[in-house]
Amino acid sequence: MKTCLIVIDAQESFRHRPYWNESLAAAYLGAQNALIEGCTAAGLPVVRVFHTDGPSDASNPFAVESGHVRPIAGLAHFEAAATFTKHRHSALVNSGLDVWLTQNGIGRLIVSGIRTEQCCETTTRHASDLGWQVDYVTDATLTFDMVQPDGRPLSAADIKARTATVLHGRFATVCTVAQALERAVA
């Protein structure tokens, strides 16, 4: 089965948000880069997805005008097989990604990027519902601490564990970097 790595929203925009956490980003970038390098070495296509939304002015880090809708510093350089821009949580909504995947005979997706519980999880659920097999590499996703509606803190680690729990066996196979690479070339 032909496999494709999707790198979702790994963009500088996030460094300009108040919740940015450099120490969480370092571990993510290590795993993300290992996944990119492994897929590239195996000859697998690597697709880049950027997110834009909100007002079109330089003060909005998710606006093209900000200059921050570009690969995040520290991300391994790669020649994208294709690059898409999305405006919704799922990378498959009105971006053209679904058409490209179909035209290129992709049957399995490896999902990675920023944010674990938001765009990565939503894309995974959507892709599964559309019939793609999905490998979700939790270590190659990044999220940040949040505050629950009742005011209690929710750590990034707990968010990642929750996402892995609800996706595994239902919408995806939750994998390590090594497992995803092994499955991709099998």
Side-chain angles (χ1 to χ4, degrees):
M1 176 178 306
K2 194 169 179 185
T3 301
C4 174
L5 170 61
I6 302 176
V7 181
I8 300 171
D9 301 349
Q11 62 194 65
E12 254 330 282
S13 305
F14 286 99
R15 284 191 199 278
H16 302 276
R17 303 300 294 158
Y19 48 74
W20 177 256
N21 182 314
E22 195 65 44
S23 64
L24 293 174
Y28 155 71
L29 285 167
Q32 181 71 82
N33 290 341
L35 193 55
I36 290 168
E37 291 161 4
C39 286
T40 300
L44 300 174
V46 181
V47 169
R48 183 187 312 275
V49 179
F50 288 120
H51 184 89
T52 63
D53 70 11
S56 297
D57 64 62
S59 66
N60 171 13
F62 287 92
V64 172
E65 293 80 0
S66 72
H68 301 307
V69 181
R70 58 183 160 78
I72 194 164
L75 185 69
H77 173 75
F78 64 93
E79 292 298 323
T83 298
F84 299 92
T85 300
K86 67 181 185 58
H87 311 284
R88 299 283 187 230
H89 294 104
S90 173
L92 296 165
V93 174
N94 298 326
S95 67
L97 174 59
D98 56 337
V99 173
W100 186 90
L101 294 169
T102 301
Q103 288 175 341
N104 285 276
I106 304 297
R108 175 182 286 133
L109 310 179
I110 302 172
V111 172
S112 65
I114 306 174
R115 291 185 62 170
T116 305
E117 79 292 348
Q118 213 165 339
C119 297
C120 296
E121 180 178 336
T122 303
T123 299
T124 296
R125 289 171 179 262
H126 192 174
S128 174
D129 283 351
L130 291 174
W132 278 285
Q133 290 186 21
V134 183
D135 288 350
Y136 189 89
V137 185
T138 305
D139 291 342
T141 70
L142 174 63
T143 196
F144 309 95
D145 295 345
M146 296 175 75
V147 176
Q148 298 180 72
D150 65 5
R152 290 182 298 143
L154 185 61
S155 73
D158 287 344
I159 294 167
K160 289 178 94 166
R162 174 250 169 229
T163 296
T165 300
V166 300
L167 291 179
H168 189 65
R170 294 179 184 97
F171 299 96
T173 299
V174 175
C175 302
T176 64
V177 170
Q179 290 167 334
L181 293 172
E182 182 179 310
R183 288 170 52 82
V185 298

